[in-house]
Amino acid sequence: MRLAHFGGGVPFLGYAFSPGMGNYAPRTWQWLSEHGYRDAIIRLWGSPALPSSPAQYVTDLRDAIGNAIGAKMGVALQIENEPNLEREAIGSAAFAAWALAVVAELRNAFPTCKIISPPIAQDAPNSVEWRQAMLPVVAQCDYL
């Protein structure tokens, strides 16, 4: 059944990994677009160790993001996922500074995309600290 029948469908959650594992090929995005998906949330993941620079992170994910845009999808980009669990060793302040720079890089590289702040695992013992540290990042994003 085509989702367009119901008014355009719901956002599709895709994944983009650096250096490319798990990325969707252009034909995947095209198929989704043809079957009624008009919006995509792309969850961005870097390598296990964060790249040395936010610019490299965006460069590593450029093709995966571009494939969705090329399929005429409305794209929202979510930076990482639950960094207070997955990037805990980096520390909240260092990760927040890195993420703030990534937001600026994404806005420059993909000005039509919305940006979603990294979601914090709410039940983790460090969630309050990480939520506080991420406030400047959240303020620069389009969605929480």
Side-chain angles (χ1 to χ4, degrees):
M1 177 184 322
R2 295 184 66 124
L3 288 176
H5 176 76
F6 295 104
V10 296
F12 178 80
L13 177 61
Y15 296 87
F17 295 85
S18 168
M21 176 182 82
N23 292 334
Y24 293 90
R27 68 181 178 277
T28 305
W29 291 114
Q30 190 61 41
W31 184 94
L32 289 164
S33 180
E34 290 169 358
H35 287 81
Y37 288 92
R38 297 290 172 256
D39 299 299
I41 298 169
I42 305 177
R43 186 173 288 165
L44 307 174
W45 264 300
S47 60
L50 289 177
S52 58
S53 75
Q56 186 62 50
Y57 177 83
V58 173
T59 296
D60 289 346
L61 297 166
R62 182 177 299 279
D63 288 344
I65 297 165
N67 289 340
I69 295 169
K72 306 218 181 330
M73 303 283 279
V75 176
L77 304 170
Q78 177 190 308
I79 304 167
E80 300 283 311
N81 187 55
E82 297 181 336
N84 60 320
L85 299 180
E86 297 178 7
R87 306 295 189 182
E88 182 178 18
I90 294 169
S92 61
F95 182 86
W98 178 85
L100 199 55
V102 166
V103 170
E105 290 287 338
L106 288 171
R107 290 217 186 276
N108 185 50
F110 303 102
T112 63
C113 293
K114 299 294 185 187
I115 300 176
I116 303 170
S117 65
I120 302 302
Q122 62 186 354
D123 294 331
N126 62 3
S127 63
V128 172
E129 170 198 342
W130 277 74
R131 278 197 311 266
Q132 286 296 113
M134 294 300 290
L135 286 175
V137 178
V138 171
Q140 294 300 312
C141 291
D142 300 297
Y143 301 111
L144 171 65

